[in-house]
Amino acid sequence: MFDALKARLKTLERKVRLSFGDDISTPAKRREAWFHFHLMDHHILRYLWTNFDKVADGVYRSNHPGHSRLKAFKEMGGKTVLNLRGQDRQSPWLFEEESCRKLGLNLTVAKIYARKPARQSEILKLIDAMKTAEKPVLMHCKSGADRAGFASVLYKVIIEGVPLEQARPHLGLKYLHLKWTRTGIVDHILDLYEARNAESPIGLEEWFREEYDGREAARSFARLRGEPEPLSRRERRVRDGLAVDAPEREDAVTDTAETKPDADRPEGPHA
């Protein structure tokens, strides 16, 4: 009963969140989007809590910045903003795109996830974006805890050549990353790499390019948590007796309980 109520509330919240905040073209719509950004996306908490930290020389991480923080980043010589949330046409993206355009900042998107594994192609896009981004660069997700932490670990290991065990603290309680929750999927991906590397040495980037399987990562993480293994969209349609469309991409990630377009936890020091 409790799970059913929780699911209904989550569905209602998602409907409300997606029902407005997707237009800043008029003063009235802009006010609605401002309200959406500050309350539905929890930006009001980010005025005091930034989760900002240095990853490497010219590379920083944080939660989703507003205009004043982007302006401050520009004034400190910032060149590129690397958005890990994606381009979803809701208020966070609309205001960020507008601010970067006005401030002359490069805005790059490399969408990954907090509660499910990214596809191989998405992780490779992130790696390539980190390699080519003009510095100084600011990487951000929503909370700055899970996706920003995962990207920071990848940067330290792949770009800087730091051992994984030295880079892993970027996924820690200091940033409010809670590995025992579903956001532990990003830790699990790194665990899978470490297990493979122990068999015979392989670089992290090479592993992602040659062997990483997001679908298997989702299934093994579910088994680890004692949860039912998630099904792909194709498998769910077969289960439900629905028509199956075109063959699913080989790197398609299985669905999880988290289906929000921008999966991350509500923000705040006690999130």
Side-chain angles (χ1 to χ4, degrees):
M1 183 176 183
F2 176 76
D3 288 342
L5 177 60
K6 183 179 178 180
R8 288 179 182 177
L9 290 175
K10 182 177 290 188
T11 299
L12 177 61
E13 184 273 338
R14 185 171 186 271
K15 286 182 178 179
V16 172
R17 179 164 49 85
L18 296 178
S19 66
F20 71 110
D22 57 354
D23 188 354
I24 59 173
S25 62
T26 69
K29 289 295 184 180
R30 191 177 186 87
R31 284 192 295 271
E32 289 183 6
W34 185 94
F35 177 85
H36 182 279
F37 185 42
H38 283 73
L39 295 186
M40 304 302 294
D41 200 60
H42 315 112
H43 185 67
I44 193 170
L45 300 175
R46 298 194 288 260
Y47 282 109
L48 298 177
W49 178 65
T50 66
N51 229 354
F52 182 88
D53 201 7
K54 180 178 179 179
V55 178
D57 289 342
V59 182
Y60 304 90
R61 57 174 291 179
S62 77
N63 57 24
H64 194 113
H67 182 80
S68 60
R69 282 171 50 195
L70 289 172
K71 182 179 179 182
F73 177 63
K74 173 69 174 182
E75 291 172 349
M76 64 180 275
K79 299 292 186 181
T80 303
V81 176
L82 179 53
N83 178 319
L84 305 173
R85 302 183 67 177
Q87 183 177 345
D88 64 2
R89 303 305 301 171
Q90 290 291 118
S91 62
W93 166 261
L94 294 176
F95 285 125
E96 179 176 40
E97 189 279 331
E98 178 186 64
S99 293
C100 287
R101 178 165 32 85
K102 288 182 176 179
L103 293 169
L105 290 167
N106 302 315
L107 178 57
T108 302
V109 176
K111 183 175 183 177
I112 55 175
Y113 311 94
R115 291 180 175 84
K116 66 179 183 181
R119 297 182 178 93
Q120 181 186 50
S121 59
E122 291 170 325
I123 291 182
L124 297 184
K125 180 179 179 180
L126 170 60
I127 293 172
D128 292 340
M130 291 191 296
K131 286 183 175 181
T132 58
E134 185 180 7
K135 297 179 183 177
V137 56
L138 174 64
M139 304 186 294
H140 80 82
C141 52
K142 181 183 177 184
S143 300
D146 311 309
R147 290 169 286 188
F150 183 69
S152 297
V153 172
L154 266 55
Y155 188 92
K156 299 289 286 186
V157 176
I158 295 173
I159 310 299
E160 292 213 307
V162 172
L164 179 56
E165 62 271 18
Q166 294 181 23
R168 275 208 180 219
H170 273 284
L171 283 169
L173 281 173
K174 173 183 177 180
Y175 306 102
L176 298 188
H177 172 65
L178 310 178
K179 65 178 298 182
W180 58 88
T181 68
R182 284 198 172 93
T183 60
I185 182 61
V186 292
D187 303 91
H188 182 65
I189 291 172
L190 298 175
D191 291 341
L192 292 175
Y193 163 72
E194 284 193 318
R196 166 61 180 86
N197 188 53
E199 295 175 3
S200 59
I202 183 172
L204 182 57
E205 180 178 1
E206 182 183 358
W207 179 73
F208 276 123
R209 292 189 182 277
E210 302 296 334
E211 301 182 14
Y212 170 74
D213 184 343
R215 177 175 298 176
E216 178 53 36
R219 287 175 169 165
S220 59
F221 186 59
R223 291 194 297 268
L224 187 67
R225 290 175 56 84
E227 298 174 348
E229 292 187 19
L231 300 175
S232 68
R233 291 178 178 86
R234 181 183 179 86
E235 290 168 333
R236 286 193 299 140
R237 292 184 70 85
V238 171
R239 180 199 63 188
D240 297 338
L242 301 174
V244 178
D245 299 324
E248 194 168 347
R249 289 182 4 214
E250 290 183 5
D251 68 344
V253 176
T254 51
D255 289 337
T256 66
E258 180 56 73
T259 58
K260 294 180 181 180
D262 181 32
D264 212 335
R265 70 171 61 84
E267 297 189 66
H270 305 292

